[in-house]
Amino acid sequence: MFENRTERPYIDGGLLPPTERYVFEQMHFHWGESDSVGSEHVIDGKTYSMEVHLVHFNLKYGNFKLAINKKDGVAVVAFFIQASEYEKCELFGKITDQIHNIRELYSKTPLESDCLEWMSLQELDKHYFTYHGSLTTEPYNECVTWIIYRTPVFVSKQQVAAFRDLQSTDNTNKITKNCRSIQTPVQMPPVIFTGTV
Ligand SMILES: [Zn+2]
């Protein structure tokens, strides 16, 4: 853990509330039973093999648990991952090459400090969607500013399949899918796209 919370990575600017700073809390992955499903967002009817979420909380609320009770409490940066026939994505491999070490619950493995370099395959200052919505897991609070990059990161089928080898909480079954089904909001929130269409 970090002694000083301001030393943690953070995001600000863009379409986030001015002067607010969102501190990195955790990163996790969603996937599906096949390569054609797995993302939790659908863009123009298209789903992707996986969706990565980088969860941040608004620094002024002190921690993630308190922040989820606030409308402007959380910002999640999302990337789509698409399994393809192409070669393995070496940058994403810095994560997926280690998955076999953490198949069992509570196991750990070190990762290289540049294991998030695959994000640099994107132009990070544009071509993303933003809307205000909810957490996609319980308690589903409406506290999230979503930042979703349009262009997927292409990886190999084996790299996506590695996630389906992770074991569930009972350590007997594998996690074949962990994505929430698409929801129909009572009122469709405005969605802003940044960059050229
Ligand atoms: Zn998520």
Side-chain angles (χ1 to χ4, degrees):
M1 294 303 291
F2 298 83
E3 284 295 312
N4 180 350
R5 285 195 175 277
T6 58
E7 289 177 5
R8 294 168 67 157
Y10 67 87
I11 55 173
D12 63 3
L15 296 170
L16 291 168
T19 74
E20 305 285 343
R21 182 175 285 190
Y22 287 80
V23 180
F24 179 73
E25 172 74 5
Q26 47 100 340
M27 177 180 75
H28 62 267
F29 302 82
H30 297 276
W31 59 90
E33 287 173 313
S34 78
D35 291 341
S36 57
V37 291
S39 62
E40 295 195 313
H41 288 92
V42 176
I43 306 293
D44 290 337
K46 172 125 184 67
T47 54
Y48 296 91
S49 311
M50 295 184 68
E51 192 170 318
V52 185
H53 290 161
L54 291 107
V55 180
H56 305 71
F57 65 87
N58 193 325
L59 179 64
K60 71 180 179 185
Y61 299 128
N63 64 47
F64 178 72
K65 208 172 165 187
L66 292 174
I68 63 171
N69 296 310
K70 309 290 183 182
K71 192 169 185 288
D72 61 350
V74 176
V76 181
V77 178
F79 293 93
F80 296 120
I81 304 288
Q82 182 60 48
S84 72
E85 305 293 341
Y86 304 144
E87 287 177 27
K88 172 181 173 179
C89 175
E90 292 297 337
L91 293 176
F92 199 61
K94 290 175 187 268
I95 293 175
T96 54
D97 286 354
Q98 306 304 323
I99 286 180
H100 65 277
N101 292 324
I102 56 161
R103 281 190 188 129
E104 292 185 10
L105 198 62
Y106 303 124
S107 49
K108 296 179 181 178
T109 192
L111 293 176
E112 298 292 329
S113 59
D114 60 352
C115 66
L116 300 179
E117 280 271 312
W118 50 270
M119 290 180 201
S120 64
L121 299 172
Q122 303 273 341
E123 290 179 279
L124 292 171
D125 60 343
K126 56 186 170 184
H127 299 161
Y128 58 82
F129 299 93
T130 296
Y131 76 96
H132 190 268
S134 72
L135 299 173
T136 66
T137 52
E138 289 185 18
Y140 304 112
N141 294 18
E142 297 274 341
C143 63
V144 182
T145 299
W146 283 96
I147 300 164
I148 304 161
Y149 284 92
R150 178 178 66 177
T151 308
V153 177
F154 290 97
V155 306
S156 71
K157 287 173 169 293
Q158 290 79 8
Q159 285 180 296
V160 172
F163 288 88
R164 299 190 196 104
D165 264 344
L166 293 171
Q167 291 181 352
S168 189
T169 47
D170 56 11
N171 260 341
T172 53
N173 294 314
K174 291 180 176 179
I175 306 170
T176 52
K177 63 168 282 193
N178 63 356
C179 54
R180 188 190 190 196
S181 57
I182 298 304
Q183 308 295 304
T184 307
V186 178
Q187 193 176 6
M188 192 59 104
V191 179
I192 299 168
F193 181 71
T194 303
T196 47
V197 178

